[in-house]
Amino acid sequence: GQFPADLPKQMKNFIESRTDLKKNTKLLMQFGAFMRDEALERGVDALAIEMTFDQKSILQENAVYIMLAVGLKEISIHNIEDGNLPGEKKKYEQTVPGKPTYFVYTLK
């Protein structure tokens, strides 16, 4: 499928017409462009709001490999729905299905 050539303009007009969305115009425009690109690359599956597999389980099953590949001594994997997450709230608010967010920090 294709998206209309003026999709960004349509999105901006829609967002700015809604007082509840207007304050987040920049973030929503970035997200819209990202999702458009994902849909063009991966197809309809990119627009799914839930994954057909458990992302957290896959990451946990591969934790040792991830640690060795990246040179980490420890790894902690969290589900965004569990709340009480480490790191910057702004970053994990942008997490979407199929695109896990990661943080690297030093433990003292």
Side-chain angles (χ1 to χ4, degrees):
Q2 290 289 341
F3 291 99
D6 68 339
L7 180 64
K9 182 179 179 181
Q10 289 182 34
M11 288 174 37
K12 188 170 185 178
N13 289 340
F14 174 78
I15 294 167
E16 290 182 345
S17 73
R18 301 269 313 262
T19 55
D20 58 328
L21 300 177
K22 192 172 184 175
K23 66 181 177 182
N24 294 311
T25 298
K26 182 179 178 182
L27 179 64
L28 292 169
M29 292 295 295
Q30 290 173 340
F31 180 73
F34 166 77
M35 291 306 297
R36 177 202 59 212
D37 295 346
E38 285 290 300
L40 289 171
E41 183 180 321
R42 294 181 24 218
V44 166
D45 290 345
L47 302 176
I49 59 172
E50 291 185 15
M51 300 305 296
T52 58
F53 57 90
D54 184 352
Q55 295 177 94
K56 183 177 179 183
S57 293
I58 291 174
L59 291 169
Q60 287 173 323
E61 290 169 11
N62 291 285
V64 172
Y65 169 76
I66 295 168
M67 288 188 299
L68 291 172
V70 184
L72 300 174
K73 291 183 180 179
E74 186 177 333
I75 191 169
S76 176
I77 299 169
H78 303 270
N79 187 330
I80 197 166
E81 294 171 352
D82 294 342
N84 195 24
L85 303 170
E88 300 174 39
K89 183 177 181 181
K90 184 176 180 178
K91 187 169 182 180
Y92 65 76
E93 284 177 341
Q94 297 177 26
T95 300
V96 295
K99 299 286 184 181
T101 300
Y102 62 92
F103 300 95
V104 178
Y105 51 92
T106 303
L107 296 175
K108 295 182 180 185

